[in-house]
Amino acid sequence: MKFKYKITYSLLLITALVTFGGCNKNPLDQKPTGSYTTGNFWRNQDDVIAGVLGIYNVLYVEDWIGHDLYAFDDQSDDICVDGDHPDFKAIERFNIDPSLQLIYITWPFAYEQIERANNAITYIPKVPVMDDAIRNRSLGEAYFLRAYAYFVLNQIYGEIPVIKEDNVQNGNYNVPKSSVDSVRAFVESDLLKAAELLPESYGDADKGRVSKGAAWGLLTKLYMFEDKYQSAITYGTKVITNANYALAPNYADNFTVGKQESNSELLFAVWNKSSEASPSNQSPISIYFSPRAWQGWGFHHPTQNFADAFEPNDTVRKRTTLLSVGDSIPHQTSLNTIDATNAYQMFAGMEGQQTGRMLPSYSTTGYYIRKYTAYMPNDDGNLNFDLKQPLLRTADIYLLVAEAKIRMSGNGAGDAEINVVRNRAGLASLSNAGMPELIHERRVELGGENTRWQDLLRWDKDKIINLDTIVNKPKAASPLPPYNGAVVIPARTFTRPKDYYMPLPQPVIDESKGIIKQNPNY
Amino acid sequence: MICNSKLNKTMHPNNYGNTPPKPGFLPAKMLLIMRLTAVLLLAAAMHVSAAGLTQKVTIAKKNASLEQIFEILQQQSGYSFMFNSHTLANAKKVDIQVNNATVEEVLKLCFSNQAFTYVVKDKVIIVTPKEDDGAGAFNAPPPPPQHVTGTVKDEAGKPVEGAAVTIAKTTIGVLTDKQGNFDIAVPTAGGYVLEVSFIGYKTVSKPVTVGGAGLTGVAITLQAATTGLADVVVVGYGVQSKKDVTGTISSVKGDDIKNLPVSNVATALQGRAAGVDIISGDGAPGSTPSIRIRGTGTINSADPLVVIDGVPSGGLNDVNPNDIASVEILKDASSSAIYGTRAANGVVLVTTKKGNYGEQLKTSFNYYTGQNKPIKYLDMLTAPDLAMLKKESYTNDGLNVPTIWNNPYYSTQRTDWQRALMGKGTVQNADIAVRGGNSTSTYSVSGNFYDDKGMIPNSYFKRYSFRINSEHKLGKRIVVGENVMYANTDGTSPDTRSTQAGLVWSAIRFNPAIPVFNADGTWGTSQADNQLGDINNPVATASEKDAYNKNDRLLANGYAELEIIKGLKLHANYGYDQSTGDNYSFNIAMPTQTRGPSISSLGRSFSKSYSFLEEYYLSFNRQVAPGHNLGVTAGYSSQIFKGNYFSASRSGFSDTSIDQRVLNLGSSQGNGGGNYNAAGLQSAFVRANYSFKNRYLLTATMRADGSSKFEKGKRWGYFPAFSAGWRISDESFYDGRIKDVVNTLKITGGWGQLGNQNIGDFQYLSGIGYGGGFGYSTGTGTVYQNGSAITNLANPNVTWERAVMTNISLEFALLKNKVYGTVTYFNKNTSDMLVPYQLVETFGAQTNLPDDGGNITLPNQNIGQLNNRGVEIELNYQGKLGKLNYTLGANGSFLSNKVTKLYGKSTYLAGSQYGRENVDISRTYEGQPIASFFGFKTAGLYQTQADIDKDANVANDGNKDNIKPGDVRFVDINGDGVINDQDRVNLGNPNPTFVFGFHGYLTYKGFDFSFNFAGATGFKLYNADRLAGLDATQVFNWYADQKNRWHGAGTSNSIPRLSNANLNNNYRSSDLWVQNGAYLSLKSISVGYTFTKIHISDVVLPDIRLYASSYNLFVLTKYSGYTPELGYTSGNLQRGVDVAQYPQARNLTIGASVNF
């Protein structure tokens, strides 16, 4: 290499070295790119709003609030199971094993909701700049939704592991169960925070979010499960005396598309949206509760005993709650042919005709729950998934307050609250109502809304009722032909205290490596 | 006109007479020379007696030159002649006519009245001028030669006999005598370079100045090279004399692996180094093997760090094997700890060829071409047998035989699908290199073209690569240089893993009655009947395949070295490594094929990944006091990795002609995607080497490494290592008989910690999904809005995997340093191994849940532990037998691998399930080797109903009534009388417990011969393809072995009866499909011949080596599949499972290398 070239080469190389030198500044300071992580999310108000909507998102899940929780209510005397889920039937008959699918499948989604809430609770306070009202509201929503998941878990399983935000930060998920009382205390503290942070009401754009009323309402319910009557009355009264949470003028408004969005009575509901583009935007509860012949899967059939519970003139609530043979639903367009098995007196002489009325062959009992079925107004025969799924209504709170008052002060103490509910249903007022009246009122007001079994358990624990007398009665169908009062589910046996709670799912026990112990008696 | 002058004992200065040969110029006829050389070799090989010259010849020639006569004599007698044709030109012409005369008689005639005489050595007749002849015979008497004399001794001072002493750039040469003395004549006074070489020693070049009176007393000391002990090895950030090394490093020279018809350097390393297991991917062109150094050290990426010319970089794929000067494999903690972060799996240092200072320009050109063929085909049923057995299977179940099996069309053999799919492939390679230097600069430029067309149509791998490097001394204190490699690869390989569309899988199973082409020219298809199976004509799929995977790689570094004071140097090194990928795949609609897409689609993607390296280090090497040597290397390194990609696809191409396959013409938009990423490493390192009197050696290393993959506070890892060595044989007490036997003895031992950070980025952060899948509706009108949620859980504590390794090694040399060996014991414990979080049900929804919602994936957790330990033995022997020089090497490694901790006793990590049956084959349990096979043990087949009735294995089994004679007898391990999942056990270890290789390199004159065997024993293979091939429930063709099925008591004890219903579940994972994997494979064999210093009149032709070689010439194994080298199929969690991978090819090539 000639000297001249060497000089040129060397200059080039040295230039290159100097250019590249020091190019690796802060090599360890790398940020995730092209995807969100906790390292580059939760930056601003938009992230917070999205993160909170993500918690609500879990409510749609079929195996969780979207339906499967309702299968536990099949243990009550209101409804019986039909369909191809042997695990539902095993639970209904108290033939319960920790490996049952239904025992397991709801569990992880509860913790999914908790996980998302824990993240929101961790990161929302750290967002540097955002509207404080929205920050508070969002935190309140997260606390409420976490409390709700624990409240449900506690009702079903009793003692459960409590994962809080610091468990998430430490990656410490394998923790022992907390006692029933401490789970409830945790729910209470979350709900108190939520009640503090949440607004009383929302503008048009945010309807459907939980409010102070939802937190107060759930607190009322929690206190009733803890037999803290005074607290129940305190928080329940905040709900029932607040115009933002007034009862809907018509009972049916709570279950009617178009009447729900501005319905002050719906303290908490799954805010479904019919959407072809994104089928996850809705809870599948309509499918599970609607007749198979009419686009549903028809898993739960009300008993004659429940139909009989309605007072003769309680037609508003009965018509809204129960679909009986011969009934039709607006915009329901699937027509079925009346054949020999359907030709009992209501359809006598109509054989061979097609009808949009409920036929006897649809149901094992002669009834369906009517509250979750609506059809598209365009008459395409499809279920209308705009129907919201109520989870907590002001009417429930009225009755809880009434119950607290009766249990604290004796018969008649809750008359005022009971009568508000009765009058709205078009029924006459009662006086000097005691627990039997209260129990009756809750059953018919809240029928099909997954409250009956938990109420019965609560009253049995407090020895207000004896569950044996209820469970020992077979579940029977309508006395009308072709059912002729047939026994659908034979008499069952309730075992105390075992059947107060479900066992923890077997995988939960197995995978915890001894950290989590099974509930007693399983 | 002397060939192979350095080793030709017949040569003597006197033979050259008085005519000074011009350097490099000795006229002769090339053909004659070649023949002569060949004859010389032959003569020696046959040990023909020199006595006599009695062979009979017949010659009639007038006015012939002596040369012409010699030629005839040689043809007829086989004797060769050696002469200086320049001087012989002065010889008188002769007339000669003899019939059946002896050679001696003819010679007498020829040499009468000549100024020449001759001597006979072996079968060579050497012609020399008569010494006492008068000067009048010659026109111009040349000046007298000058003699250079001296002695050649070895390091111990003993004379070396037979060393070749030559004058560089001439053909003048002599051999030393018994006293090691030589006397070599040079034509004139002046400056010369003496080159002294002897087998087993390093060649010495010594410049001498010869005066008018010659030169005497030249003393040359040869240093042993036999053992490699004197070699220099490349270590991290420097080089070290091998004798001072205290770690365990295997070194493979570029010459040992050159010209093998393989695309990847790693493939060529198989069997070359102890403790280095090269695990073939598959036989597809361009397939990348896995390198496992001292076992599989983690369930995560267990690939070693590859450092090319000082740049930690991606794979070896793009490096032309012929550019490689040496590959060093750092195996133990001490040697690799300087690469702390990424060294847990060992380090592979690749050094490419450079020019040398003061070396004349040298050019080498190399070309080879050859063929690939399958080593074997599997025996499948022919159409008539298949139809017969299908009928039997339905009849056995009491079912109606589907009509197709009574259709004569499907009982007619038409196609052997394996042969239709897999035929002949070709491989060719050409490379050229120019290297050299002057006193202040070196340079090297090389180019390469490699083209491998596989056995399956449209599977290929092509590489163009170009490499340039140079180094320059700028003054006395500064050295600068660079290495630049550019490579372009282009390849595609078919799907040969899937049990839906896998090509080899399909070829094995496609119905043999179906023709490749129907009579109308369309592809044969299985569409006619479900009984033909839902697979495509594999020849059609392969032939219609239109895809490529192109990659451009630029790997460049520039470096500078400044000597601050004597022994202290500052180094700077900047590297850039970039890969740009361009993928194209056109899937043409094949509606006539069962699995053919109904519409055509095109997918394209581009990706780019690159890294910057920035390093500074100081090195100090000096004798600090008499007998005390200290070397210190300390520095800083950082590397940033970035990458991005985008992809797009469209479908619905109405025009599918080859030139219209562009995205524009697709009618409907498919997926588009893209992303980018970044990661970084930052390190500081220091290493100190200390030696006292060259006998006591100490090395200490420390590297601090930071990785962006971990959370602040968990980023930095510290990796110390220590080692020590004792050269016992240099002690004064080490003498006498033991030193005569064990000439060299060195013990080394070390301990160190290494790290592995090769996991996904940012696991310390939770991944967040955003969009419609996470949203909710609010508001009047119920407006749906996007939401977000955690999709990956974080493990804020995620950090380095660690490996702690202990190493004890004995190095020795025997038989006058001709045998060199090492024996090493190592014990490597991986701790903090990253394994996925074990499911706990409080994480939230899991991916393993049915239905909706399951969208949380789990991070890794540093909880696993793994142990690898073993013994490595390497032996090399360099010897000489007459003119045969040979180097032999053997190595073996015993290895035991065990996962010592996972989550607990009964937990495991699963490999992927196999195929359509979802067979659960591989499980990694605590306490067992990684990726062990799992399933039922069997005890033959039930032969009679009575066997079943009295069988304790199924005494309480509810399925007992369904079991029939001819079904598999599964063993009831837990003794409950029921066969269920609880009875499954470990069925074998897929990791060889002994891996070995031996290789040899032999030269004889111009011939060279080399071979390399590789083998492994002590492991099992799982023939999943056979499982599917004998599965009677599968609608496809079956293995020919199905003819040996059970069809009556005593007919078979291993192949179950044919039953479609398969009520006994005969084809679940069991030891029926587990086979011994031991094999011995002749990986490479090569024979060549080098023609040197050939002259055509005044022109010296370059050295030419012609060679033939073969790769995978044969494999000895009892394994029944295509090949026992099956590789990994599910990360490190599944190995040795036969899923009808692209089979290994047998390859035959011929080639030529030219050096000038």
Side-chain angles (χ1 to χ4, degrees), chain A residues 404-415:
Chain A
K405 287 181 173 173
I406 293 169
R407 293 177 69 177
M408 260 181 70
S409 314
N411 289 359
D415 285 358

Side-chain angles (χ1 to χ4, degrees), chain B residues 228-229 231-233 240-245 249 746 820:
Chain B
L229 271 180
D231 288 0
V232 158
V233 292
Q240 225 181 336
S241 168
K242 189 155 185 182
K243 69 181 170 51
D244 296 335
V245 168
I249 300 176
K746 178 174 144 193
Y820 166 61

Side-chain angles (χ1 to χ4, degrees), chain A residues 454-514:
Chain A
Q454 287 301 328
D455 281 343
L456 292 176
L457 289 173
R458 180 161 63 90
W459 294 324
D460 185 83
K461 284 176 203 164
D462 290 347
K463 305 209 180 333
I464 288 169
I465 60 163
N466 181 355
L467 254 179
D468 293 342
T469 61
I470 293 171
V471 164
N472 291 349
K473 274 188 212 145
K475 294 189 191 178
S478 159
L480 297 173
Y483 310 104
N484 302 318
V487 169
V488 183
I489 303 293
R492 302 163 295 157
T493 308
F494 184 82
T495 313
R496 291 183 195 81
K498 172 172 172 270
D499 288 330
Y500 285 135
Y501 294 111
M502 293 290 154
L504 299 193
Q506 194 58 42
V508 172
I509 306 296
D510 291 348
E511 290 162 14
S512 77
K513 306 228 177 307

